[in-house]
Amino acid sequence: MIHAPSAVPAIEATGLRKIYGKSGRTEAKLALKGIDLTVPQGSIFGLLGPNGAGKSTFINILAGLVRKTEGKVSVWGFDIDENPRHARASIGIVPQELNIDPFFTPRETLEVQAGLFGVPPEERRTMEILRAVGLDDKADAYARSLSGGMKRRLLVGKAMVHNPPVLVLDEPTAGVDIELRRQLWDYVRTLHEQGTTIVLTTHYLEEAEELCDTIAIVDQGEVVACKKTPELLAQLDEKTLLITPVDTLSALAPGLIALNAELRDDGRLAIQYNPSKVTLDDLLDQVRGANIRIQDISTDETDLEDIFLQLTYQAGPSSQIEKVQLDEDEARALVEEHAAE
């Protein structure tokens, strides 16, 4: 693992822009509008956003697969333009696509990948990595015989052969069953405990809420939020108090109507309130003041999905983002661009 001063961010982007050029019938598209983003060393950093928000473009720029239009990007302190070899050696990318040669075994796959990164044979950790991702018993089986979950774990192993200090997981649990997902996250937590910085993109918001200490939300090529997870969850100052009364209620007292209380079909009383403006004790006093005996109470709190929907769809469905998805003309333009490099 390449060591960097502790003050250096794991990833830092400043004014990062990417424009996919006009080609044939396809108009030019602005995929990234000036991203400013800092991923601290040692964090599990969530990068969330709707499809087409620019997450994959950002990751592909980090990996050296897409050339940025403007801005600066560094990985582990190495500028991707000034020191591309060290920048790429400092990061491992686990892509969404299952890009594994079906005629290679897991052992051969990791050995070839380690060779591409210049890892000497005596320093390779092929079997150690296969054991860590639960594939040591499949080391010599053809990759085409592996299940989808096993192939995804093999991708994680491929990304770790050069022991990078930064690991980017792009939708790593897509199509993976619950048991394999749990095994994968156990391994990710182990890597994090060993000092690896993890960057995670996922559409499973409960995953990000559970795993990530910091979360950035990207929408329409811009960072619309970037905060510590607890701070982000506290952004919506709203809770719902759910009360189960001892006696069935047929109507609401005037005092409860003033609180915007609602009598639900299941017989529970629901009261939406802002914790910053009113305390739970005050609400319960008013409920008791309406001569309601309380059998049980619970609260519904803000979760990451509420924040995500508020930040990315606040303008309504009619103005949802234009998805930055490449059609055949755009793909051909990208191929020509890289060939010219």
Side-chain angles (χ1 to χ4, degrees), residues 287-336:
V287 171
R288 294 189 186 98
N291 296 319
I292 295 176
R293 294 187 299 157
I294 298 173
Q295 177 178 313
D296 191 21
I297 64 171
S298 62
T299 58
D300 281 348
E301 300 191 28
T302 299
D303 60 17
L304 185 57
E305 184 173 2
D306 297 323
I307 301 289
F308 183 86
L309 292 174
Q310 183 198 55
L311 291 174
T312 59
Y313 296 101
Q314 54 189 334
S318 63
S319 61
Q320 289 179 11
I321 65 170
E322 175 186 3
K323 292 177 171 52
V324 184
Q325 295 176 329
L326 306 183
D327 61 17
E328 291 181 3
D329 289 334
E330 287 180 290
R332 189 178 302 111
L334 280 178
V335 171
E336 292 172 355

Side-chain angles (χ1 to χ4, degrees), residues 11-323:
I11 296 172
E12 186 170 33
T14 306
L16 181 60
R17 288 165 54 87
K18 174 59 184 177
I19 300 173
Y20 290 110
K22 176 180 173 63
S23 175
R25 301 183 306 275
T26 305
E27 296 298 323
K29 290 188 178 180
L30 180 58
L32 299 179
K33 299 180 181 178
I35 294 285
D36 293 322
L37 195 63
T38 299
V39 178
Q41 284 189 35
S43 63
I44 300 184
F45 192 95
L47 186 63
L48 310 182
N51 290 334
K55 305 186 302 295
S56 293
T57 296
F58 178 70
I59 290 172
N60 287 334
I61 289 173
L62 294 177
L65 299 176
V66 169
R67 186 165 63 177
K68 61 185 173 61
T69 304
E70 293 178 17
K72 296 191 67 175
V73 182
S74 63
V75 178
W76 213 241
F78 300 108
D79 187 285
I80 64 171
D81 294 323
E82 297 173 1
N83 206 331
R85 289 174 61 89
H86 279 84
R88 293 178 191 179
S90 300
I91 194 168
I93 307 285
V94 180
Q96 294 184 40
E97 299 79 15
L98 295 174
N99 56 352
I100 297 172
D101 192 314
F103 298 101
F104 277 22
T105 66
R107 187 197 304 271
E108 292 167 339
T109 297
L110 298 196
E111 284 291 317
V112 169
Q113 188 75 359
L116 292 174
F117 275 97
V119 181
E122 65 274 10
E123 295 180 14
R124 295 177 188 175
R125 303 174 299 119
T126 297
M127 287 309 301
E128 174 189 333
I129 293 172
L130 289 177
R131 280 191 294 271
V133 297
L135 292 176
D136 51 318
D137 60 335
K138 300 288 186 180
D140 298 310
Y142 284 122
R144 65 175 180 269
S145 69
L146 302 180
S147 67
M150 291 178 179
K151 290 176 181 176
R152 199 158 290 282
R153 282 185 281 162
L154 182 55
L155 286 178
V156 177
K158 278 184 66 177
M160 294 304 299
V161 295
H162 57 300
N163 199 24
V166 182
L167 180 65
V168 178
L169 304 166
D170 191 4
E171 298 288 348
T173 56
V176 175
D177 63 42
I178 294 175
E179 182 180 356
L180 291 178
R181 187 180 303 168
R182 187 177 300 114
Q183 291 176 4
L184 180 58
W185 289 136
D186 286 344
Y187 180 52
V188 167
R189 287 189 180 98
T190 299
L191 290 173
H192 179 247
E193 290 169 1
Q194 294 171 353
T196 304
T197 300
I198 309 293
V199 178
L200 165 69
T201 78
T202 179
H203 280 98
Y204 298 105
L205 298 184
E206 69 279 4
E207 244 175 26
E209 188 173 342
E210 178 183 351
L211 289 167
C212 299
D213 49 59
T214 304
I215 292 175
I217 297 178
V218 180
D219 189 25
Q220 304 184 62
E222 299 178 291
V223 177
V224 295
C226 183
K227 296 182 180 180
K228 295 288 187 182
T229 303
E231 294 176 13
L232 194 61
L233 294 176
Q235 187 165 323
L236 283 182
D237 179 32
E238 185 177 285
K239 289 186 178 182
T240 301
L241 173 64
L242 298 173
I243 297 175
T244 303
V246 173
D247 305 307
T248 302
L249 299 179
S250 58
L252 294 178
L256 295 180
I257 294 175
L259 291 175
N260 293 319
E262 174 191 358
L263 187 59
R264 294 190 171 178
D265 292 340
D266 59 7
R268 290 190 298 174
L269 189 65
I271 304 174
Q272 287 191 337
Y273 69 102
N274 303 111
S276 64
K277 298 177 181 178
V278 63
T279 67
L280 189 57
D281 277 346
D282 290 339
L283 287 178
L284 293 177
D285 286 343
Q286 293 185 64
V287 171
R288 294 189 186 98
N291 296 319
I292 295 176
R293 294 187 299 157
I294 298 173
Q295 177 178 313
D296 191 21
I297 64 171
S298 62
T299 58
D300 281 348
E301 300 191 28
T302 299
D303 60 17
L304 185 57
E305 184 173 2
D306 297 323
I307 301 289
F308 183 86
L309 292 174
Q310 183 198 55
L311 291 174
T312 59
Y313 296 101
Q314 54 189 334
S318 63
S319 61
Q320 289 179 11
I321 65 170
E322 175 186 3
K323 292 177 171 52

